[in-house]
Amino acid sequence: MTKNLLHICVLLLLFSACKPKNKPATATDNTDHNTASSSPTKISNTALIILGTVQDAGSPQIGCKKDCCKNLFTNPDPNRKVVSLGVVDNQNKATFLFEATPDIATQVKALKNSANFNAQEIPTGIFLTHAHIGHYAGLMFLGKEAMNASNTPVYTMPKMKTFLEENGPWSQLVANKNIAIKATENKQTLELTSNLKVVPFTVPHRDEFSETVGYTIIGPNKRALFIPDIDKWNKWGQDITTEIAKVDYAFIDATFFDAEEINNRDISEIPHPFIIESMGLFKELPATEKSKINFIHFNHTNPALNIKSTKAKQVIKNGFNIAQINTVYNL
């Protein structure tokens, strides 16, 4: 073999080793919802994208001394963002953000980058569920110290609207016209574009400053249910299994896996449906219904937050999904 031919062979081997072994996911290639993508997928139609899956305080959580946080302070996981969904409507060149989290800077950038058009830096509209830190604190970055946005539509229920208008620093966003609050009503459909509708509905939760809502997100072909925070399912006036039957995807509260996880706190002060309880409730559902369910809003202590954990594998084995950042769901 000549020296030149040897060089060519070496270069070919190196090139082959550097090529990606798997093709990147597309907006229609989302059959495995339990696999996180390292970057947003380009959406060419109308679709929903997961922008965060973690409970309000993030992961690692401030002051945490447990093993679940130990290495994350020095080696943070870029996929651990506070719970948020994005929706893209390419036909109408619109983007919508569900929840304004402390991670809003990277989340709105990911939403913009997922659009198959030159989307604005700030979404066409922002939907809030309630006044707990992980769900609205990101609004601060729309103010003059940061983005200094102009009249960004923020959709809220009446009590949340009053809270933002009458309490600083949020009232400054209103006064400076960084945000324009759009009042919503329980179970009243909002027509956002020719391809998108949203229906807010109240759910029971710790409503210190505002009511708490979930959303039904309606696209041209499919529907999604989004309930990141709720008390126990039996406290709600609706039957969750009936509501799941009405949609194609359900993103539901998975804050804690079970009671043992938070044995250092009074569970009555932070009621949520444990994953283990929800799986028991949904146990008799057919496989097609179970596959709609995507657990989301994981506390930093929740072992299912780690997709490789025994608990996460148990959830998937039972026919459910663990929500993963950057996964796309066609609407």
Side-chain angles (χ1 to χ4, degrees), residues 208-242:
E208 302 95 337
F209 300 117
S210 76
E211 60 278 279
T212 302
V213 300
Y215 290 102
T216 303
I217 304 166
I218 305 169
N221 303 301
K222 295 185 177 182
R223 297 174 174 233
L225 187 70
F226 182 46
I227 308 176
D229 266 295
I230 193 170
D231 291 348
K232 299 299 184 181
W233 294 119
N234 60 12
K235 292 186 178 182
W236 191 23
Q238 307 294 123
D239 175 35
I240 182 59
T241 57
T242 300

mmCIF file of all heavy atoms in Angstrom, residues 208-242:
data_model
loop_
_atom_site.group_PDB
_atom_site.id
_atom_site.type_symbol
_atom_site.label_atom_id
_atom_site.label_comp_id
_atom_site.label_asym_id
_atom_site.label_seq_id
_atom_site.Cartn_x
_atom_site.Cartn_y
_atom_site.Cartn_z
ATOM 1 N N GLU A 208 -52.519 30.229 47.340
ATOM 2 C CA GLU A 208 -52.273 31.345 48.241
ATOM 3 C C GLU A 208 -52.481 32.703 47.565
ATOM 4 O O GLU A 208 -53.035 33.618 48.163
ATOM 5 C CB GLU A 208 -50.839 31.292 48.792
ATOM 6 C CG GLU A 208 -50.498 30.016 49.542
ATOM 7 C CD GLU A 208 -49.826 28.985 48.657
ATOM 8 O OE1 GLU A 208 -49.999 29.041 47.415
ATOM 9 O OE2 GLU A 208 -49.129 28.125 49.208
ATOM 10 N N PHE A 209 -52.012 32.843 46.316
ATOM 11 C CA PHE A 209 -52.065 34.123 45.636
ATOM 12 C C PHE A 209 -52.909 34.111 44.362
ATOM 13 O O PHE A 209 -53.256 35.166 43.840
ATOM 14 C CB PHE A 209 -50.645 34.595 45.276
ATOM 15 C CG PHE A 209 -49.749 34.763 46.462
ATOM 16 C CD1 PHE A 209 -48.616 33.988 46.611
ATOM 17 C CD2 PHE A 209 -50.037 35.705 47.444
ATOM 18 C CE1 PHE A 209 -47.780 34.142 47.714
ATOM 19 C CE2 PHE A 209 -49.209 35.859 48.550
ATOM 20 C CZ PHE A 209 -48.084 35.080 48.684
ATOM 21 N N SER A 210 -53.176 32.940 43.848
ATOM 22 C CA SER A 210 -53.955 32.851 42.603
ATOM 23 C C SER A 210 -54.666 31.513 42.550
ATOM 24 O O SER A 210 -54.358 30.601 43.311
ATOM 25 C CB SER A 210 -53.024 32.976 41.387
ATOM 26 O OG SER A 210 -52.316 31.763 41.172
ATOM 27 N N GLU A 211 -55.610 31.406 41.640
ATOM 28 C CA GLU A 211 -56.157 30.095 41.338
ATOM 29 C C GLU A 211 -55.110 29.286 40.578
ATOM 30 O O GLU A 211 -54.099 29.830 40.127
ATOM 31 C CB GLU A 211 -57.453 30.215 40.512
ATOM 32 C CG GLU A 211 -57.295 30.912 39.170
ATOM 33 C CD GLU A 211 -57.320 32.421 39.259
ATOM 34 O OE1 GLU A 211 -58.406 33.008 39.329
ATOM 35 O OE2 GLU A 211 -56.229 33.024 39.224
ATOM 36 N N THR A 212 -55.338 27.988 40.446
ATOM 37 C CA THR A 212 -54.441 27.124 39.670
ATOM 38 C C THR A 212 -55.236 26.527 38.518
ATOM 39 O O THR A 212 -56.370 26.092 38.704
ATOM 40 C CB THR A 212 -53.867 25.995 40.539
ATOM 41 O OG1 THR A 212 -53.170 26.569 41.648
ATOM 42 C CG2 THR A 212 -52.903 25.126 39.743
ATOM 43 N N VAL A 213 -54.634 26.532 37.344
ATOM 44 C CA VAL A 213 -55.323 25.986 36.181
ATOM 45 C C VAL A 213 -54.471 24.955 35.470
ATOM 46 O O VAL A 213 -53.244 24.912 35.612
ATOM 47 C CB VAL A 213 -55.722 27.094 35.162
ATOM 48 C CG1 VAL A 213 -56.644 28.112 35.794
ATOM 49 C CG2 VAL A 213 -54.496 27.774 34.573
ATOM 50 N N GLY A 214 -55.141 24.112 34.720
ATOM 51 C CA GLY A 214 -54.516 23.272 33.714
ATOM 52 C C GLY A 214 -54.987 23.784 32.367
ATOM 53 O O GLY A 214 -55.814 24.699 32.284
ATOM 54 N N TYR A 215 -54.464 23.197 31.296
ATOM 55 C CA TYR A 215 -54.847 23.622 29.948
ATOM 56 C C TYR A 215 -55.092 22.418 29.049
ATOM 57 O O TYR A 215 -54.383 21.413 29.150
ATOM 58 C CB TYR A 215 -53.753 24.475 29.301
ATOM 59 C CG TYR A 215 -53.580 25.842 29.924
ATOM 60 C CD1 TYR A 215 -52.525 26.099 30.800
ATOM 61 C CD2 TYR A 215 -54.464 26.875 29.638
ATOM 62 C CE1 TYR A 215 -52.359 27.349 31.375
ATOM 63 C CE2 TYR A 215 -54.311 28.131 30.206
ATOM 64 C CZ TYR A 215 -53.256 28.362 31.076
ATOM 65 O OH TYR A 215 -53.100 29.596 31.643
ATOM 66 N N THR A 216 -56.097 22.558 28.188
ATOM 67 C CA THR A 216 -56.223 21.677 27.041
ATOM 68 C C THR A 216 -55.746 22.463 25.828
ATOM 69 O O THR A 216 -56.250 23.565 25.562
ATOM 70 C CB THR A 216 -57.670 21.215 26.826
ATOM 71 O OG1 THR A 216 -58.145 20.566 28.007
ATOM 72 C CG2 THR A 216 -57.752 20.240 25.656
ATOM 73 N N ILE A 217 -54.760 21.925 25.138
ATOM 74 C CA ILE A 217 -54.165 22.584 23.968
ATOM 75 C C ILE A 217 -54.644 21.829 22.735
ATOM 76 O O ILE A 217 -54.383 20.628 22.596
ATOM 77 C CB ILE A 217 -52.629 22.573 24.063
ATOM 78 C CG1 ILE A 217 -52.181 23.222 25.388
ATOM 79 C CG2 ILE A 217 -52.008 23.288 22.866
ATOM 80 C CD1 ILE A 217 -50.723 22.968 25.737
ATOM 81 N N ILE A 218 -55.336 22.535 21.861
ATOM 82 C CA ILE A 218 -56.015 21.892 20.733
ATOM 83 C C ILE A 218 -55.371 22.321 19.420
ATOM 84 O O ILE A 218 -55.357 23.515 19.077
ATOM 85 C CB ILE A 218 -57.516 22.252 20.731
ATOM 86 C CG1 ILE A 218 -58.147 21.902 22.080
ATOM 87 C CG2 ILE A 218 -58.240 21.546 19.584
ATOM 88 C CD1 ILE A 218 -59.553 22.458 22.261
ATOM 89 N N GLY A 219 -54.825 21.366 18.700
ATOM 90 C CA GLY A 219 -54.236 21.636 17.397
ATOM 91 C C GLY A 219 -55.163 21.226 16.275
ATOM 92 O O GLY A 219 -56.322 20.854 16.506
ATOM 93 N N PRO A 220 -54.689 21.259 15.036
ATOM 94 C CA PRO A 220 -55.524 20.884 13.893
ATOM 95 C C PRO A 220 -55.974 19.428 13.938
ATOM 96 O O PRO A 220 -57.048 19.095 13.438
ATOM 97 C CB PRO A 220 -54.609 21.122 12.682
ATOM 98 C CG PRO A 220 -53.514 21.985 13.171
ATOM 99 C CD PRO A 220 -53.340 21.681 14.616
ATOM 100 N N ASN A 221 -55.155 18.564 14.531
ATOM 101 C CA ASN A 221 -55.441 17.130 14.503
ATOM 102 C C ASN A 221 -55.442 16.457 15.879
ATOM 103 O O ASN A 221 -56.082 15.417 16.043
ATOM 104 C CB ASN A 221 -54.407 16.419 13.620
ATOM 105 C CG ASN A 221 -54.365 16.978 12.219
ATOM 106 O OD1 ASN A 221 -55.360 16.962 11.511
ATOM 107 N ND2 ASN A 221 -53.212 17.493 11.809
ATOM 108 N N LYS A 222 -54.739 17.037 16.847
ATOM 109 C CA LYS A 222 -54.605 16.366 18.131
ATOM 110 C C LYS A 222 -54.728 17.353 19.282
ATOM 111 O O LYS A 222 -54.599 18.565 19.107
ATOM 112 C CB LYS A 222 -53.267 15.616 18.202
ATOM 113 C CG LYS A 222 -53.175 14.474 17.202
ATOM 114 C CD LYS A 222 -51.904 13.668 17.380
ATOM 115 C CE LYS A 222 -51.873 12.487 16.404
ATOM 116 N NZ LYS A 222 -50.676 11.649 16.591
ATOM 117 N N ARG A 223 -54.962 16.768 20.489
ATOM 118 C CA ARG A 223 -55.144 17.562 21.703
ATOM 119 C C ARG A 223 -54.171 17.104 22.781
ATOM 120 O O ARG A 223 -53.843 15.924 22.864
ATOM 121 C CB ARG A 223 -56.570 17.394 22.244
ATOM 122 C CG ARG A 223 -57.657 17.899 21.315
ATOM 123 C CD ARG A 223 -59.024 17.551 21.880
ATOM 124 N NE ARG A 223 -60.084 18.146 21.079
ATOM 125 C CZ ARG A 223 -61.050 18.908 21.561
ATOM 126 N NH1 ARG A 223 -61.128 19.125 22.865
ATOM 127 N NH2 ARG A 223 -61.955 19.429 20.763
ATOM 128 N N ALA A 224 -53.777 18.062 23.625
ATOM 129 C CA ALA A 224 -52.894 17.753 24.748
ATOM 130 C C ALA A 224 -53.480 18.318 26.032
ATOM 131 O O ALA A 224 -54.052 19.415 26.044
ATOM 132 C CB ALA A 224 -51.503 18.328 24.513
ATOM 133 N N LEU A 225 -53.334 17.557 27.114
ATOM 134 C CA LEU A 225 -53.750 17.976 28.443
ATOM 135 C C LEU A 225 -52.498 18.326 29.244
ATOM 136 O O LEU A 225 -51.533 17.567 29.240
ATOM 137 C CB LEU A 225 -54.513 16.834 29.118
ATOM 138 C CG LEU A 225 -55.191 17.100 30.460
ATOM 139 C CD1 LEU A 225 -56.395 18.014 30.284
ATOM 140 C CD2 LEU A 225 -55.623 15.775 31.089
ATOM 141 N N PHE A 226 -52.512 19.471 29.927
ATOM 142 C CA PHE A 226 -51.354 19.916 30.690
ATOM 143 C C PHE A 226 -51.795 20.266 32.106
ATOM 144 O O PHE A 226 -52.492 21.257 32.319
ATOM 145 C CB PHE A 226 -50.717 21.130 30.007
ATOM 146 C CG PHE A 226 -49.476 21.662 30.686
ATOM 147 C CD1 PHE A 226 -48.468 20.816 31.117
ATOM 148 C CD2 PHE A 226 -49.302 23.035 30.866
ATOM 149 C CE1 PHE A 226 -47.314 21.313 31.728
ATOM 150 C CE2 PHE A 226 -48.160 23.543 31.464
ATOM 151 C CZ PHE A 226 -47.165 22.679 31.900
ATOM 152 N N ILE A 227 -51.419 19.412 33.078
ATOM 153 C CA ILE A 227 -51.723 19.656 34.491
ATOM 154 C C ILE A 227 -50.430 19.422 35.283
ATOM 155 O O ILE A 227 -50.210 18.348 35.841
ATOM 156 C CB ILE A 227 -52.840 18.727 35.010
ATOM 157 C CG1 ILE A 227 -54.073 18.784 34.101
ATOM 158 C CG2 ILE A 227 -53.222 19.109 36.443
ATOM 159 C CD1 ILE A 227 -55.173 17.813 34.518
ATOM 160 N N PRO A 228 -49.562 20.432 35.356
ATOM 161 C CA PRO A 228 -48.287 20.232 36.053
ATOM 162 C C PRO A 228 -48.413 20.218 37.572
ATOM 163 O O PRO A 228 -47.567 19.656 38.258
ATOM 164 C CB PRO A 228 -47.453 21.422 35.585
ATOM 165 C CG PRO A 228 -48.464 22.481 35.278
ATOM 166 C CD PRO A 228 -49.651 21.755 34.728
ATOM 167 N N ASP A 229 -49.458 20.873 38.103
ATOM 168 C CA ASP A 229 -49.652 20.951 39.551
ATOM 169 C C ASP A 229 -51.105 20.711 39.902
ATOM 170 O O ASP A 229 -52.000 21.366 39.350
ATOM 171 C CB ASP A 229 -49.259 22.339 40.066
ATOM 172 C CG ASP A 229 -47.830 22.413 40.544
ATOM 173 O OD1 ASP A 229 -47.508 21.739 41.536
ATOM 174 O OD2 ASP A 229 -47.040 23.150 39.931
ATOM 175 N N ILE A 230 -51.337 19.798 40.834
ATOM 176 C CA ILE A 230 -52.675 19.539 41.337
ATOM 177 C C ILE A 230 -52.518 18.845 42.691
ATOM 178 O O ILE A 230 -51.479 18.244 42.972
ATOM 179 C CB ILE A 230 -53.492 18.660 40.351
ATOM 180 C CG1 ILE A 230 -54.988 18.648 40.708
ATOM 181 C CG2 ILE A 230 -52.933 17.248 40.255
ATOM 182 C CD1 ILE A 230 -55.873 17.990 39.643
ATOM 183 N N ASP A 231 -53.532 18.975 43.542
ATOM 184 C CA ASP A 231 -53.535 18.182 44.767
ATOM 185 C C ASP A 231 -53.911 16.744 44.380
ATOM 186 O O ASP A 231 -53.692 16.353 43.245
ATOM 187 C CB ASP A 231 -54.506 18.790 45.773
ATOM 188 C CG ASP A 231 -54.000 20.130 46.303
ATOM 189 O OD1 ASP A 231 -52.823 20.469 46.072
ATOM 190 O OD2 ASP A 231 -54.792 20.855 46.943
ATOM 191 N N LYS A 232 -54.459 15.984 45.260
ATOM 192 C CA LYS A 232 -54.806 14.606 44.907
ATOM 193 C C LYS A 232 -55.917 14.581 43.850
ATOM 194 O O LYS A 232 -56.789 15.441 43.824
ATOM 195 C CB LYS A 232 -55.247 13.849 46.158
ATOM 196 C CG LYS A 232 -54.188 13.763 47.242
ATOM 197 C CD LYS A 232 -52.931 13.035 46.783
ATOM 198 C CE LYS A 232 -51.927 12.867 47.918
ATOM 199 N NZ LYS A 232 -50.680 12.190 47.499
ATOM 200 N N TRP A 233 -55.870 13.554 42.991
ATOM 201 C CA TRP A 233 -56.845 13.456 41.909
ATOM 202 C C TRP A 233 -58.279 13.437 42.423
ATOM 203 O O TRP A 233 -59.179 13.988 41.791
ATOM 204 C CB TRP A 233 -56.590 12.203 41.063
ATOM 205 C CG TRP A 233 -55.308 12.214 40.291
ATOM 206 C CD1 TRP A 233 -54.259 11.354 40.398
ATOM 207 C CD2 TRP A 233 -54.928 13.163 39.273
ATOM 208 N NE1 TRP A 233 -53.253 11.692 39.534
ATOM 209 C CE2 TRP A 233 -53.636 12.799 38.826
ATOM 210 C CE3 TRP A 233 -55.548 14.275 38.708
ATOM 211 C CZ2 TRP A 233 -52.957 13.490 37.837
ATOM 212 C CZ3 TRP A 233 -54.866 14.979 37.715
ATOM 213 C CH2 TRP A 233 -53.596 14.592 37.293
ATOM 214 N N ASN A 234 -58.505 12.833 43.599
ATOM 215 C CA ASN A 234 -59.873 12.729 44.098
ATOM 216 C C ASN A 234 -60.413 14.043 44.653
ATOM 217 O O ASN A 234 -61.583 14.137 45.009
ATOM 218 C CB ASN A 234 -59.985 11.622 45.166
ATOM 219 C CG ASN A 234 -59.090 11.855 46.370
ATOM 220 O OD1 ASN A 234 -58.536 12.938 46.540
ATOM 221 N ND2 ASN A 234 -58.947 10.847 47.211
ATOM 222 N N LYS A 235 -59.568 15.078 44.707
ATOM 223 C CA LYS A 235 -60.041 16.399 45.132
ATOM 224 C C LYS A 235 -60.591 17.224 43.969
ATOM 225 O O LYS A 235 -61.186 18.278 44.176
ATOM 226 C CB LYS A 235 -58.903 17.173 45.810
ATOM 227 C CG LYS A 235 -58.470 16.607 47.152
ATOM 228 C CD LYS A 235 -57.442 17.518 47.801
ATOM 229 C CE LYS A 235 -57.033 17.000 49.172
ATOM 230 N NZ LYS A 235 -56.055 17.921 49.826
ATOM 231 N N TRP A 236 -60.343 16.761 42.775
ATOM 232 C CA TRP A 236 -60.773 17.481 41.566
ATOM 233 C C TRP A 236 -62.205 17.083 41.236
ATOM 234 O O TRP A 236 -62.600 15.933 41.395
ATOM 235 C CB TRP A 236 -59.827 17.125 40.427
ATOM 236 C CG TRP A 236 -59.957 17.962 39.191
ATOM 237 C CD1 TRP A 236 -60.478 19.221 39.087
ATOM 238 C CD2 TRP A 236 -59.533 17.609 37.870
ATOM 239 N NE1 TRP A 236 -60.400 19.678 37.801
ATOM 240 C CE2 TRP A 236 -59.827 18.700 37.029
ATOM 241 C CE3 TRP A 236 -58.936 16.467 37.324
ATOM 242 C CZ2 TRP A 236 -59.550 18.691 35.665
ATOM 243 C CZ3 TRP A 236 -58.649 16.455 35.974
ATOM 244 C CH2 TRP A 236 -58.944 17.552 35.148
ATOM 245 N N GLY A 237 -62.973 18.006 40.742
ATOM 246 C CA GLY A 237 -64.349 17.716 40.376
ATOM 247 C C GLY A 237 -64.499 16.929 39.092
ATOM 248 O O GLY A 237 -65.608 16.527 38.726
ATOM 249 N N GLN A 238 -63.392 16.703 38.390
ATOM 250 C CA GLN A 238 -63.397 15.950 37.129
ATOM 251 C C GLN A 238 -62.735 14.589 37.339
ATOM 252 O O GLN A 238 -61.878 14.438 38.220
ATOM 253 C CB GLN A 238 -62.652 16.710 36.038
ATOM 254 C CG GLN A 238 -63.110 18.134 35.817
ATOM 255 C CD GLN A 238 -64.513 18.217 35.275
ATOM 256 O OE1 GLN A 238 -65.381 18.846 35.860
ATOM 257 N NE2 GLN A 238 -64.749 17.559 34.152
ATOM 258 N N ASP A 239 -63.088 13.646 36.509
ATOM 259 C CA ASP A 239 -62.440 12.330 36.534
ATOM 260 C C ASP A 239 -61.252 12.361 35.575
ATOM 261 O O ASP A 239 -61.436 12.536 34.364
ATOM 262 C CB ASP A 239 -63.446 11.244 36.123
ATOM 263 C CG ASP A 239 -62.803 9.873 36.019
ATOM 264 O OD1 ASP A 239 -61.893 9.591 36.813
ATOM 265 O OD2 ASP A 239 -63.197 9.086 35.129
ATOM 266 N N ILE A 240 -60.056 12.204 36.096
ATOM 267 C CA ILE A 240 -58.859 12.335 35.270
ATOM 268 C C ILE A 240 -58.823 11.309 34.141
ATOM 269 O O ILE A 240 -58.380 11.617 33.032
ATOM 270 C CB ILE A 240 -57.571 12.262 36.131
ATOM 271 C CG1 ILE A 240 -56.315 12.446 35.258
ATOM 272 C CG2 ILE A 240 -57.505 10.992 36.936
ATOM 273 C CD1 ILE A 240 -56.252 13.743 34.491
ATOM 274 N N THR A 241 -59.301 10.109 34.367
ATOM 275 C CA THR A 241 -59.278 9.102 33.296
ATOM 276 C C THR A 241 -60.213 9.508 32.152
ATOM 277 O O THR A 241 -59.912 9.263 30.981
ATOM 278 C CB THR A 241 -59.667 7.712 33.822
ATOM 279 O OG1 THR A 241 -60.957 7.780 34.431
ATOM 280 C CG2 THR A 241 -58.657 7.218 34.836
ATOM 281 N N THR A 242 -61.327 10.147 32.494
ATOM 282 C CA THR A 242 -62.246 10.651 31.462
ATOM 283 C C THR A 242 -61.597 11.764 30.661
ATOM 284 O O THR A 242 -61.737 11.824 29.426
ATOM 285 C CB THR A 242 -63.544 11.177 32.101
ATOM 286 O OG1 THR A 242 -64.178 10.113 32.822
ATOM 287 C CG2 THR A 242 -64.505 11.713 31.055
#
